[in-house]
Amino acid sequence: MAGGGDAPSIPVWDMAVLAGATILLSTIVIVSWTQPLNYNLNGNDQEVLTVHTGLSTATLTFDASCLDDPCQPLTVWVVPHDGEESWDGSLAGAQEVQLLNSDTPQTSETLNEPLPAGEYRIILDGDGKYTFETTVNREIPHEFVPAIIGALLMVWGIWRKQQEDLD
């Protein structure tokens, strides 16, 4: 310590409990904290999101609602990511999903076929104001791995602390 003092060392199991609790809680907050975003489109295709399916296949669910009256059509394109930083505007190999039209101002649509493992760009095409949200349903939900690791660290730390108290 700076003043020349000494502090007792912290047992590794106490640190495991703190680290595990932090990892577990932050993972739960991050996974559950999704909010739809508002987009103001002017008739041009706009990249709004990049989705990574992880190690397995995944299906996508799109929730959209129109904020204008009358509602203009809204289409979403799922384009395989080519590795480039910015999207060049190409829709080659893309899947098209018609979300909204003048008759349906709000919808929830799921892709018919699961996407193979990889990364995809989500492109919106419409003219108007919309609320849009994408949900990724992975076959192997790897986003929960940190929560499992955090829970295991907490359980081990608490168990080890109880063993110390018994001695």
Side-chain angles (χ1 to χ4, degrees):
M1 294 183 56
D6 192 16
S9 62
I10 299 174
V12 70
W13 45 87
D14 286 346
M15 292 303 296
V17 171
L18 291 172
T22 302
I23 293 169
L24 178 65
L25 291 175
S26 62
T27 302
I28 290 170
V29 168
I30 289 170
V31 168
S32 63
W33 189 309
T34 60
Q35 296 179 342
L37 297 174
N38 293 336
Y39 293 98
N40 191 2
L41 304 175
N42 57 5
N44 298 326
D45 297 340
Q46 178 180 340
E47 179 180 1
V48 295
L49 184 65
T50 301
V51 173
H52 199 298
T53 62
L55 303 173
S56 63
T57 61
T59 58
L60 298 178
T61 302
F62 306 109
D63 295 314
S65 59
C66 187
L67 301 175
D68 286 338
D69 191 29
C71 185
Q72 299 296 319
L74 178 66
T75 304
V76 65
W77 296 85
V78 181
V79 182
H81 197 289
D82 56 5
E84 296 294 322
E85 281 295 319
S86 61
W87 179 55
D88 64 0
S90 170
L91 296 174
Q95 292 185 41
E96 177 185 11
V97 179
Q98 182 70 37
L99 292 180
L100 302 173
N101 57 39
S102 58
D103 298 334
T104 55
Q106 187 171 357
T107 189
S108 181
E109 295 285 332
T110 302
L111 285 181
N112 294 333
E113 296 292 322
L115 296 171
E119 197 167 341
Y120 298 87
R121 298 175 192 273
I122 306 300
I123 312 298
L124 288 181
D125 181 21
D127 190 9
K129 294 180 182 177
Y130 307 94
T131 299
F132 180 76
E133 182 177 9
T134 302
T135 305
V136 181
N137 303 306
R138 294 177 177 88
E139 187 177 286
I140 300 173
H142 69 277
E143 62 268 22
F144 297 111
V145 171
I148 294 168
I149 292 170
L152 290 173
L153 281 170
M154 277 182 45
V155 168
W156 177 80
I158 292 169
W159 173 81
R160 183 61 181 94
K161 181 69 172 174
Q162 289 175 346
Q163 298 304 311
E164 179 186 74
D165 292 342
L166 293 175
D167 293 337

